[in-house]
Amino acid sequence: MTRLKFLGVAILLVAGVFLSGCGQQQAGQSVKSEPQKTETVVIKVDSKGSPADSTRGTNIADAAKELNQLLEAKGDNRRVKVEVNHVSAGSDEEYNKKFILAWQSGGGADIRAISHADVAMMAKGGYILPLDDLLSNSEYADFVKDIYPTLWEAAKYAGKTWAVPQDTESRPVYFRKDALRKMGWSEDQINQLPEKIKRGEFTLADMTALAKEAVEKGVVKYGIFHRPSNGPYFVMQVYNFGGKIYNPVTDKLVLDKKAVLKTLQYHYDLTQNAKVTPEGMTSMEWRMLHKSFVEGDVLFWYGGTWHWGEYQKVPYHEELGELTEEYMFENIGYALVPAAEKGGRPITLSQPWVYTINSNTKYPDLAFALIAIASKPEYNAKHAIESGHLAISPSVAESPTYQSSEFLADVQYQLEYTTTQPTHPEYGKFKSGLYKAIQAVELGKQKPEEALNWLEDQLKNDLGDALEVIE
């Protein structure tokens, strides 16, 4: 055997021994495997509303704990970390504009809570994802299947579903029971006021007259407050005066001139004739508004169910700070918004908030999973109780947490009288124009007829063929 052949055989023998040893180790003992590396996925969440509405975002953060357990159980190495930004100041328009600017640079929060009225605009602009595939195929879709069908309608546009309903509410008119007592009302009269409103016996005109009496007697400083910034309240009053603002057949927004003129006249009378509302109502700071009402300086306040929760969380009252619910039941009442005409049907308005998913997100499956988990009763009922919102599904409404709230049980009937805003991509322009017209008459800068003419010209210019005008 040559030296070269000998070396070759020797190498093969050594290699055989080595491979045999490896085989024996695998057969005879287990090799300790490396722990699976996990990937941290950051999901950013934007939510908006009063401080009491912060659970719109924190519920998503809480849902991440449950999702991470589910991911680990099925061998998915991703782990979710949620970063929440809750906004309580500014308008919805500002909130949306900030997101759009971030989106245009490829960013923006992965999940956003928005008003259902903004779904069409967000969908048409391509800013959010349609969710139909996820609703059909995601393993987490079962968590959202019992949400009320009427709320799902608020999440749709152009035949697709773009959002998951997050909450809903009603807009009652609050009144100070202690002020009515000072005016000589009996407890029975006070307790019957919501029923008189429900039967159409106590109208907007009666409300204004009572507010005027309370101011003139020095019982309160102001008779009636409404929201200072642009929002659904103003459209609700157009509905109250028999108007409509959207034609579903033509898919156009509607300027119902008779109803809008009555709405303008109503707000003109509040500030210029009855003088029960300050002229600068539309420029009042929100905190000053809330402080004035909780301290008993205002008789009527066009608020929302969520304010019931907010007043127990935010110390608006200079002496009492955060109100107790016991104090509120004793001193604050709530009812439907009175009908515009005697014998008419009272009204309220619901603005469901919804979760949307950024079309820029890299993780739509995880974003949807978080939303779906946060829709379960244990999360959504907590939000409803703490923020004064109404249940999104039968399972939430039947949960012990939700049923423990006397206030929510009292206002649930108001959904039978509710209205909603249209889902139209140009609706924001309509709403903004209406608000500016009301602001002008309240300040006394324009008479109702003048404001209506200005509004018609403005909407024709802003909306073009998307507008119908009813004389």
Side-chain angles (χ1 to χ4, degrees):
M1 179 181 293
T2 67
R3 181 178 179 84
L4 183 61
K5 288 182 178 180
F6 175 80
L7 288 173
V9 171
I11 290 170
L12 289 173
L13 287 171
V14 171
V17 170
F18 175 78
L19 291 173
S20 175
C22 289
Q24 288 174 2
Q25 183 183 39
Q26 290 172 350
Q29 64 183 32
S30 62
V31 179
K32 189 174 182 180
S33 61
E34 290 285 332
Q36 187 179 28
K37 292 184 178 180
T38 60
E39 173 193 0
T40 299
V41 176
V42 176
I43 298 292
K44 295 184 177 181
V45 179
D46 280 352
S47 63
K48 187 177 183 297
S50 79
D53 295 325
S54 61
T55 38
R56 286 176 175 153
T58 57
N59 272 358
I60 297 289
D62 290 342
K65 301 170 188 175
E66 182 173 343
L67 176 59
N68 285 335
Q69 292 174 351
L70 294 172
L71 292 173
E72 182 177 8
K74 70 175 188 174
D76 190 323
N77 71 335
R78 296 176 299 174
R79 300 294 181 269
V80 174
K81 177 184 177 182
V82 172
E83 297 179 355
V84 177
N85 177 42
H86 182 72
V87 178
S88 292
S91 66
D92 290 356
E93 289 80 5
E94 292 168 338
Y95 174 63
N96 288 329
K97 184 177 181 180
K98 184 177 180 180
F99 166 74
I100 291 171
L101 289 173
W103 182 91
Q104 290 171 342
S105 301
D110 301 274
I111 298 171
R112 293 183 74 237
I114 65 172
S115 162
H116 81 98
D118 293 326
V119 166
M121 178 270 292
M122 285 288 169
K124 187 177 181 181
Y127 307 120
I128 58 177
L129 290 175
L131 304 183
D132 302 273
D133 287 344
L134 287 165
L135 288 167
S136 297
N137 302 315
S138 172
E139 61 190 291
Y140 303 100
D142 283 346
F143 295 146
V144 299
K145 284 186 176 176
D146 74 332
I147 292 176
Y148 292 122
T150 52
L151 295 182
W152 279 117
E153 289 302 311
K156 294 180 180 179
Y157 171 69
K160 294 182 178 181
T161 303
W162 299 87
V164 175
Q166 190 272 325
D167 69 21
T168 191
E169 84 292 273
S170 69
R171 282 169 169 72
V173 59
Y174 289 105
F175 56 90
R176 294 293 308 205
K177 294 180 179 180
D178 47 357
L180 294 178
R181 292 185 190 109
K182 291 177 183 177
M183 296 176 70
W185 282 44
S186 68
E187 292 302 313
D188 185 60
Q189 286 176 308
I190 293 171
N191 294 333
Q192 283 299 309
L193 181 56
E195 287 299 316
K196 289 185 68 176
I197 290 174
K198 190 191 295 188
R199 295 192 296 265
E201 298 172 8
F202 186 91
T203 66
L204 286 184
D206 296 321
M207 179 174 160
T208 301
L210 183 59
K212 190 171 187 295
E213 180 187 350
V215 172
E216 290 175 346
K217 289 182 175 180
V219 175
V220 293
K221 293 180 182 178
Y222 307 101
I224 298 173
F225 271 6
H226 60 68
R227 63 178 295 129
S229 59
N230 185 10
Y233 157 78
F234 304 102
V235 170
M236 178 181 68
Q237 291 292 20
V238 175
Y239 290 149
N240 200 8
F241 284 103
K244 64 177 184 177
I245 60 172
Y246 176 66
N247 185 340
V249 176
T250 61
D251 191 30
K252 292 185 178 184
L253 294 165
V254 175
L255 175 61
D256 189 330
K257 293 177 69 173
K258 288 183 179 179
V260 170
L261 180 60
K262 290 178 180 178
T263 303
L264 293 169
Q265 185 66 55
Y266 171 69
H267 290 90
Y268 181 83
D269 289 340
L270 289 181
T271 64
Q272 302 301 313
N273 292 329
K275 299 186 183 299
V276 294
T277 301
E279 286 188 358
M281 187 76 245
T282 54
S283 60
M284 182 178 289
E285 293 183 358
W286 275 103
R287 187 171 186 87
M288 179 57 68
L289 181 156
H290 293 312
K291 181 178 186 296
S292 297
F293 182 71
V294 299
E295 292 183 354
D297 292 333
V298 185
L299 180 58
F300 291 108
W301 151 227
Y302 285 111
T305 53
W306 61 95
H307 291 123
W308 191 264
E310 182 173 349
Y311 294 158
Q312 297 174 63
K313 284 191 163 217
V314 184
Y316 291 124
H317 198 293
E318 187 171 348
E319 295 181 6
L320 301 178
E322 300 167 2
L323 301 184
T324 65
E325 193 166 43
E326 181 182 6
Y327 172 90
M328 293 179 70
F329 278 125
E330 175 67 20
N331 295 287
I332 299 173
Y334 38 85
L336 290 162
V337 172
E341 297 181 359
K342 192 73 72 175
R345 182 178 173 84
I347 195 171
T348 186
L349 184 142
S350 297
Q351 178 178 238
W353 275 64
V354 296
Y355 286 127
T356 59
I357 298 178
N358 186 346
S359 59
N360 285 336
T361 189
K362 297 178 182 178
Y363 304 98
D365 62 325
L366 295 178
F368 179 80
L370 287 168
I371 291 170
I373 292 170
S375 302
K376 294 170 64 178
E378 55 265 42
Y379 299 95
N380 194 260
K382 175 186 176 184
H383 169 73
I385 292 291
E386 294 186 6
S387 67
H389 283 87
L390 303 179
I392 62 170
S393 67
S395 59
V396 174
E398 294 164 6
S399 68
T401 301
Y402 188 85
Q403 292 191 343
S404 68
S405 171
E406 180 182 347
F407 171 74
L408 294 180
D410 278 353
V411 297
Q412 190 73 29
Y413 80 96
Q414 294 191 3
L415 292 182
E416 300 172 20
Y417 296 81
T418 201
T419 56
T420 58
Q421 300 170 94
T423 303
H424 190 283
E426 303 296 330
Y427 173 63
K429 296 176 181 177
F430 180 97
K431 188 170 64 169
S432 178
L434 177 64
Y435 170 73
K436 290 176 181 177
I438 289 175
Q439 185 177 50
V441 298
E442 286 197 340
L443 288 169
K445 291 183 176 181
Q446 289 182 323
K447 296 291 179 64
E449 294 80 4
E450 294 171 331
L452 177 63
N453 291 335
W454 172 86
L455 179 60
E456 182 175 1
D457 290 342
Q458 187 68 37
L459 292 181
K460 285 180 177 178
N461 180 67
D462 289 347
L463 299 176
D465 292 340
L467 178 71
E468 289 181 10
V469 178
I470 299 177
E471 296 292 338

